[in-house]
């Protein structure tokens, strides 16, 4: 609850929270290489999906969750010019391969290291794939300089309390995240998971916005599909739910018309601003 001693203007300043869906697609993106599509499908820009990541901005912090191979293009498209931190869900290629593009943000920060948050398994993979950056060797401010933080539990960044959510993704466990601001559950982000466990449902229930993996219509062995995502959304009861990590199974405008009230198919560049 916001303290009653704060003026309305101060409350608004403290409570700002906005979200940009930088991308909405699955690991291969949409359209995929070497496939023919109906002209009507390709004519709708909402059916062009890069790999999944989000950008969160408050008055006190600007961060991204995951860094896709198209990260540079997404930053230019959205005119994003500052980054305080990077938070990773897991180390699959579609979620980490844009990390070196952070070299520009390090340069803008006058060579200051960029905080990088990930669980132990993901951090181990980041140190291996980007060994030149994580070696600790002094480099020019024009290069990527990470400041690694292993996520073992909830942590604070700016005005956000960030809670990792353990989610099954095939044989591995990935991190979803719950973003809490002034005790308000602003966002629960669960982009890659086979299911949302009961204890996580209880943690995120009542969030203002929930983002769920809804890969395709047919069952999949490591991701939720449409029916499972709909069932999870009903149990969580968020004010707004967005489905992400979408394949070309979804024709955005056609399938959005069939979604229940309060549930939307994500698309690249979608912006969500939450009221104070």
């Amino acid at each position: 609850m916001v303290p009653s001693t704060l003026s309305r203007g101060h409350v608004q300043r403290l409570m700002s929270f906005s979200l940009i869906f930088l991308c909405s697609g699955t690991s291969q993106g949409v359209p995929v290489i070497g496939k023919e599509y109906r002209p009507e499908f390709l004519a709708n820009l909402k059916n062009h999906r890069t790999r999944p990541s989000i950008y969160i901005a408050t008055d006190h912090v600007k961060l991204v969750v995951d860094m896709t191979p198209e990260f540079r293009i997404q930053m230019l498209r959205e005119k994003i010019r500052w980054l305080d931190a990077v938070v990773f869900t897991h180390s699959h290629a579609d979620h980490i391969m844009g990390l070196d593009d952070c070299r520009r943000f390090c340069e803008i920060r006058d060579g200051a290291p960029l905080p990088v948050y990930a669980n132990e398994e993901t951090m181990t993979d980041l140190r291996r794939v980007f060994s030149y950056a994580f070696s600790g060797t002094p480099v020019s401010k024009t290069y990527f300089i990470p400041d690694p933080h292993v996520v073992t539990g909830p942590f604070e960044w700016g005005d956000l309390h960030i809670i990792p959510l353990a989610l099954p993704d095939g044989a591995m466990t990935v991190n979803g995240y719950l973003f809490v601001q002034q005790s308000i559950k602003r966002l629960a982000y669960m982009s890659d998971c086979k299911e949302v466990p009961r204890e996580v449902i209880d943690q995120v229930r009542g969030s203002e916005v929930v983002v769920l993996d809804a890969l395709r219509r047919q069952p999949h062995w490591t991701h939720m599909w449409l029916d499972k995502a709909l069932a999870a959304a009903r149990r969580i009861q968020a004010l707004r739910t967005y489905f992400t990590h979408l394949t070309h199974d979804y024709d955005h405008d056609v399938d959005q018309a069939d979604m229940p009230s309060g549930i939307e198919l994500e698309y690249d560049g979608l912006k969500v601003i939450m009221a104070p």
Side-chain angles (χ1 to χ4, degrees), residues 103-253:
R103 61 190 298 180
R104 176 57 181 154
F105 287 111
C106 289
E107 184 177 6
I108 293 170
R109 294 158 57 90
D110 199 29
L114 186 67
V116 175
Y117 291 83
N119 63 23
E120 184 67 58
E121 182 180 10
T122 300
M123 191 67 75
T124 297
D125 287 341
L126 293 175
R127 292 181 186 276
R128 174 177 53 82
V129 175
F130 301 98
S131 58
Y132 59 89
F134 286 85
S135 66
T137 303
V139 296
S140 164
K141 68 179 182 180
T142 61
Y143 289 89
F144 171 48
I145 310 167
D147 175 20
H149 298 264
V150 175
V151 174
T152 58
F155 60 98
E156 310 290 328
W157 189 259
D159 54 344
L160 296 178
H161 181 62
I162 304 173
I163 303 170
L165 308 168
L167 302 169
D169 180 10
M172 70 185 300
T173 299
V174 308
N175 275 0
Y177 291 98
L178 175 62
F179 296 88
V180 181
Q181 184 187 49
Q182 295 283 325
S183 301
I184 298 173
K185 297 177 182 179
R186 290 294 204 179
L187 169 68
Y189 185 69
M190 295 172 279
S191 69
D192 275 60
C193 56
K194 176 64 180 290
E195 63 180 347
V196 182
R198 180 184 298 274
E199 60 271 20
V200 175
I201 293 280
D202 292 340
Q203 278 183 283
V204 305
R205 182 175 286 116
S207 297
E208 290 187 333
V209 171
V210 166
V211 181
L212 292 171
D213 186 351
L215 184 74
R216 63 188 192 186
R217 293 184 174 277
Q218 298 78 27
H220 191 272
W221 55 98
T222 63
H223 290 269
M224 291 200 295
W225 55 95
L226 180 59
D227 285 349
K228 289 198 74 170
L230 288 169
R234 286 193 296 268
R235 294 175 66 195
I236 295 170
Q237 298 179 340
L239 295 179
R240 287 179 283 181
T241 299
Y242 295 90
F243 288 166
T244 192
H245 222 288
L246 308 176
T247 68
H248 50 220
D249 269 16
Y250 298 96
D251 187 335
H252 186 279
D253 292 353

Side-chain angles (χ1 to χ4, degrees), residues 17-36:
F17 190 105
S18 62
L19 165 67
I20 301 176
F21 291 101
L22 298 174
C23 29
S24 57
T26 186
S27 57
Q28 294 189 74
V30 180
V32 300
I33 296 170
K35 178 178 174 58
E36 295 294 326

